[in-house]
């Protein structure tokens, strides 16, 4: 009987195990997870702090026990420390018992995820946390309750930092946001980002830009600009690095940043070794360019692809990612897909901007929505799209995503038959209008 | 200079005039409108009664004066009573001056729309109204105010009747809904329609099914079941018939129900005669079958096609309709696209049903959403889709619409890269799951 080892039991690993078991009731599956928990909704962690996820246990999708019922072995506190693809073995460290052993596999699925970054000044600071796992969530909650925390510092204004800030505010905690950059949320175009500062101010968040924490002493943090701020709790949300050190010497190819390179079957360069989740590099769907996207949709899709591959159906492929993503920030929804702004420089393009109400303009509660599309000059391909507004943003980015995946151009957007009724759209929707504008611009370019 | 005559100045006609003027600054355009008003948002009329459209004049998109500024002639209270395509003339009745004249055209655009139906018992009843035009809206509002209306009867439980009932309730008027059928809202599958009665009850609407008004005397209406109900105001919403009597003898081909047959250029069978709006028959986009869809999206799209045709660009085609539609009924959103249930009988298919939360299930405010897809057995084509829920329905139907228009199958739904964050979706969205279920069903069928 074939033996499958899965490294990492959170999103990618647990989903692959579940999928594989569904397809193949016989295959031998073991998950090694270095942490305490498996299969929890880590995107939901901040929302439990804010109260939108009422019960912590709602975040737990599966446990070692529930996997055991499906005949999947889960070993927690077991860290895979080395991989030998030629002999098809992994080295495993049983952390609690401090012993190391080798385990053989026929198929190996790497789902190590990422490690949250921490700035040097926060190392060994007892009230400094990251929020990347259920363990972290429990630590933060315990700290808030034990110390009766009413003020906190959030480090970083990427999506994790912003979600943390929002949820702490929802919990009634006063927040200082410290951000090393001069701009909030870099993935969004700076000329579309004004609302972040307005929203932060209106929610009473004290924002310190262009500075960072250099020292923490007691409950006081000192910033690089000399300022001292109260910091009885600090949560850092400054991104992740792929947790792939253990692959050194394995011969498995990583990219320059340490992400595991995968092909359209989810396979690494080593036979029988697959990879899934936040630590992989894959390709864009719409252009031929590598990308790493630490988002759950891709992990779930790759889990399906890999489990089909291992079960013998190689027809199911991973067709690459658009990187479709969205964050909520208080009243705002911010969504993008496609290339990053710096990457766009390599592709001749024009820009279509359109603002329109999310529903019929005469409806009292209609609100503006702003769509920007970066359009390939030659073929009309949508290289990148951005949608910002306070309602209906998720709808527009998902339509764009579906449209682009099937080869729809910017001009084709004119032809999307939206469901029109005054509470939902205009007869010509905001995306139809982007399409009509793209048609006009394209005509001018090719006149 | 070419002369264009447009019959009917509401959605289709006014939009075509505006589009044509934008493309061609010179062409001579005259609109004949039999009513008092042109270019108003008639889908928004009920929402002004309910208060969601605060000001009546917000519903007016253009006036004869604003069109005059763009050098478009608008003649209101002018009814086109006959068309002679061989001589390229129309007969026009100037209603106010009770005179008739002929007008010559190079291009004729028919946008006559429909006439709201009225049951015989309501003819000549002073407190019986329909709501199909701004004039009707003004009459209804005046009646409500003058008679201090606190109770009303709505006839019909199609989308107009339901929107009327909802908006009257929002205005604080007690509603009795009289419906000849045994089921509310026929376009929705009867096994998915339970919530209508629950919602109507919870909003205090008195529902009389399987009966109709047979007589009105004073403020009392008698039903066919013998019941007498208070009826100081009656609004009928029982559909429209195409207003195409005036085409008798013109040689322009109508279908059996009186809709004007059009081709992919918006052209009728007579050269130079185009048609747009609620009175036309066109084709489905996804199957080869005629359909008439009295919805604004198609009218706007056809306006674009026709104005391009007349301006000499015949490359822009009308690719048919999916009939994508949505109605709001209090807290519910009900959306469908594609074939009607009776039409499905001609296409071998299987059904995929899936219910899932609209966002991450652990979010406190997540609510269920129900998607049903009727899938062609041979090719996996989505023949019809239905989405019902209280949030996020418009998003899913629009994604489906975009997906199907580009040839996406039910199985391909698995591959739509949705923007995932807990407030918006699950990592595998409800549509992804429909796709995965379709894949499984398809495998079993073709085993």
């Amino acid at each position: 009987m074939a033996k499958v080892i899965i490294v990492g039991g959170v999103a990618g690993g647990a989903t692959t195990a579940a999928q594989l078991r569904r397809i193949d009731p016989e295959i031998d599956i073991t998950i090694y997870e270095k942490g305490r928990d498996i299969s929890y909704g880590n995107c939901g962690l901040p929302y439990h702090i804010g109260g939108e996820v009422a019960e912590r246990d709602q975040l737990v999708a599966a446990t070692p026990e529930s996997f055991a019922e499906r005949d999947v072995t889960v070993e927690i506190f077991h860290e895979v420390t080395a991989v030998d693809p030629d002999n098809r073995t992994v080295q495993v460290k049983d952390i609690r018992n401090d012993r190391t052993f080798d385990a053989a596999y026929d198929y190996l699925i790497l789902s190590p995820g990422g490690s949250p970054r921490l700035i040097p000044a926060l190392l060994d600071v007892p009230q400094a946390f990251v929020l990347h796992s259920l363990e972290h969530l429990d630590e933060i909650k315990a700290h808030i309750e034990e110390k009766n925390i009413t003020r906190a510092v959030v480090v970083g204004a990427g999506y994790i930092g912003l979600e943390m800030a929002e949820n702490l505010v929802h919990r009634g905690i006063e927040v200082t946001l410290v951000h090393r950059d001069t701009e909030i949320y870099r993935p969004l175009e700076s000329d579309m980002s004004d609302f972040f500062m307005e929203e932060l101010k209106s929610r009473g968040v004290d924002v310190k830009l262009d500075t960072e924490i250099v020292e923490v002493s007691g409950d006081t943090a000192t910033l690089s600009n000399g300022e001292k701020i109260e910091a009885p709790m600090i949560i850092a949300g400054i991104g992740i690095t792929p947790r792939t050190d253990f692959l050194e010497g394995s011969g498995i190819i990583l990219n320059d940043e340490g992400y595991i390179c995968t092909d359209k079957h989810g396979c690494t360069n080593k036979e029988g070794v697959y990879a899934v989740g936040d630590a992989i590099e894959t390709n864009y769907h719409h252009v031929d360019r590598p990308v790493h996207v630490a988002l759950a949709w891709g992990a779930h899709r790759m889990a399906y692809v890999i489990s089909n591959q291992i079960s013998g159906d190689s027809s199911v492929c991973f067709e690459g990612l658009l990187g479709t993503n969205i964050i909520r920030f208080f009243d705002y929804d911010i969504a993008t897909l496609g290339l990053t702004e710096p990457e766009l420089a390599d592709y001749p393009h024009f820009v279509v901007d359109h603002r329109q109400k999310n529903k019929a303009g005469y409806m009292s509660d209609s609100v503006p929505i702003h769509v920007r599309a970066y359009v390939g000059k030659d073929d009309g391909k949508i290289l990148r799209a951005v949608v910002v507004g306070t309602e209906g943003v998720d709808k527009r980015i998902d339509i764009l995503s579906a449209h682009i995946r099937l080869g729809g151009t910017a001009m084709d957007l004119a032809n999307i038959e939206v469901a029109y009724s005054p509470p939902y759209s205009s007869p010509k929707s905001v995306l139809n209008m982007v399409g009509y504008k793209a048609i006009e611009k394209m005509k001018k370019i090719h006149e």
Side-chain angles (χ1 to χ4, degrees), chain A residues 132-150:
Chain A
H132 191 67
S133 72
L134 213 48
E135 289 177 76
H136 298 145
L137 177 69
D138 294 338
E139 288 165 14
I140 290 172
K141 273 182 68 185
H143 185 79
I144 290 174
E145 281 155 27
E146 281 162 24
K147 306 281 180 181
N148 199 13
I149 292 294
T150 57

Side-chain angles (χ1 to χ4, degrees), chain A residues 173-438:
Chain A
I173 291 174
E174 279 186 63
V175 175
T176 304
L177 180 67
V178 178
H179 188 43
R180 196 169 57 171
D181 203 340
T182 52
E183 264 169 44
I184 307 287
Y185 200 62
R186 271 278 173 204
L188 182 65
E189 278 66 354
S190 57
D191 72 310
M192 296 174 82
S193 305
D194 290 350
F195 66 90
F196 278 120
M197 282 305 284
E198 290 162 24
E199 197 77 345
L200 285 162
K201 271 183 206 163
S202 81
R203 307 291 175 163
V205 176
D206 189 10
V207 183
K208 314 280 184 194
L209 294 181
D210 202 15
T211 187
E212 59 186 322
I213 294 176
V214 289
E215 203 200 348
V216 180
S217 171
D219 278 358
T220 303
T222 307
L223 305 184
S224 56
N225 65 9
E227 213 174 329
K228 286 184 193 300
I229 57 175
E230 269 188 81
M233 177 167 85
I234 304 171
I235 301 180
I238 54 172
I240 59 163
T241 46
R243 201 181 265 159
T244 52
D245 293 350
F246 73 105
L247 297 176
E248 214 184 297
S250 69
I252 294 169
I253 295 176
L254 310 180
N255 76 4
D256 291 346
E257 296 166 275
Y259 291 87
I260 307 163
C261 300
T262 57
D263 68 11
K264 65 176 180 171
H265 296 133
C267 207
T268 68
N269 61 309
K270 292 290 183 184
E271 218 190 304
V273 183
Y274 298 83
V276 58
D278 291 357
I280 73 166
E281 176 187 89
T282 175
N283 275 284
Y284 275 116
H285 181 273
H286 62 322
V287 298
D288 184 18
R289 187 179 189 119
V291 66
H292 54 86
V293 173
L295 292 173
W297 188 88
H300 280 255
R301 182 68 191 161
M302 189 59 108
Y304 180 79
V305 171
I306 292 173
S307 52
N308 275 277
Q309 294 292 325
I310 291 177
S311 310
D313 181 356
S314 60
S315 69
V316 184
C317 291
F318 192 77
E319 296 173 9
L321 292 173
L322 294 170
T324 310
N325 71 86
I326 187 164
I327 71 158
R328 191 189 72 191
F329 187 61
F330 293 106
D331 285 346
Y332 280 85
D333 309 303
I334 304 101
T336 72
L337 61 73
L339 298 170
T340 62
E341 277 190 274
E343 287 170 339
L344 279 170
D346 297 338
Y347 302 83
H349 65 271
F350 61 90
V351 176
V352 177
D353 254 303
H354 188 69
R355 261 174 221 272
Q356 185 174 310
K357 293 294 182 72
N358 68 322
K359 52 180 78 177
Y362 49 68
M363 299 292 278
S364 303
D365 61 348
S366 62
V367 290
I369 189 161
H370 184 176
V371 178
R372 179 175 294 174
Y374 297 80
V375 182
K377 265 190 177 156
D378 295 324
D379 52 11
K381 187 181 277 182
I382 301 166
L383 298 164
R384 171 178 172 78
V386 184
V387 187
V388 176
T390 56
E391 219 185 290
V393 168
D394 59 328
K395 166 167 151 176
R396 275 64 180 203
I397 202 73
D398 277 6
I399 298 172
L400 282 164
S401 186
H403 181 83
I404 297 169
R405 281 189 90 86
L406 291 176
T409 65
M411 295 80 78
D412 295 333
L413 289 174
N415 214 8
I416 296 178
E417 186 182 342
V418 298
Y420 166 60
S421 168
Y424 307 98
S425 177
S426 304
K428 281 196 204 74
S429 79
V430 59
L431 293 183
N432 291 152
M433 289 306 301
V434 171
Y436 285 115
K437 282 188 171 178

Side-chain angles (χ1 to χ4, degrees), chain A residues 45-46 49-50 116-119 122 125-132 136-137 139-141 143-144 149 151-158 160-169 171 173 175-179 213 216 230-239:
Chain A
L45 300 171
I49 291 181
R117 294 198 196 106
L118 207 60
I119 54 176
L122 297 181
V125 172
Q127 77 268 36
F129 301 93
V130 292
L131 181 53
H132 191 67
H136 298 145
L137 177 69
E139 288 165 14
I140 290 172
K141 273 182 68 185
H143 185 79
I144 290 174
I149 292 294
R151 306 182 71 97
V153 176
V154 171
V155 177
I160 301 171
L162 292 176
E163 287 179 355
M164 276 313 311
E166 172 174 352
N167 279 290
L168 289 168
V169 168
R171 203 185 170 96
I173 291 174
V175 175
T176 304
L177 180 67
V178 178
H179 188 43
I213 294 176
V216 180
E230 269 188 81
M233 177 167 85
I234 304 171
I235 301 180
I238 54 172

Side-chain angles (χ1 to χ4, degrees), chain A residues 40-73:
Chain A
Y40 49 86
N42 53 3
C43 301
L45 300 171
Y47 298 97
H48 179 53
I49 291 181
E52 283 178 88
V53 179
E55 301 296 332
R56 172 226 188 253
D57 287 353
Q58 294 178 287
L59 292 167
V60 180
T63 60
E65 293 71 33
S66 70
F67 263 116
E69 286 168 22
R70 287 181 277 172
D71 201 22
V72 172
T73 305

Side-chain angles (χ1 to χ4, degrees), chain A residues 19-38:
Chain A
Q19 294 271 9
L20 196 51
R21 174 55 74 234
R22 200 169 299 135
I23 302 174
D24 186 337
E26 301 296 331
I27 199 164
D28 183 322
I29 308 173
T30 301
I31 298 174
Y32 294 117
E33 165 56 45
K34 76 189 270 280
R36 186 193 65 187
D37 305 292
I38 60 159

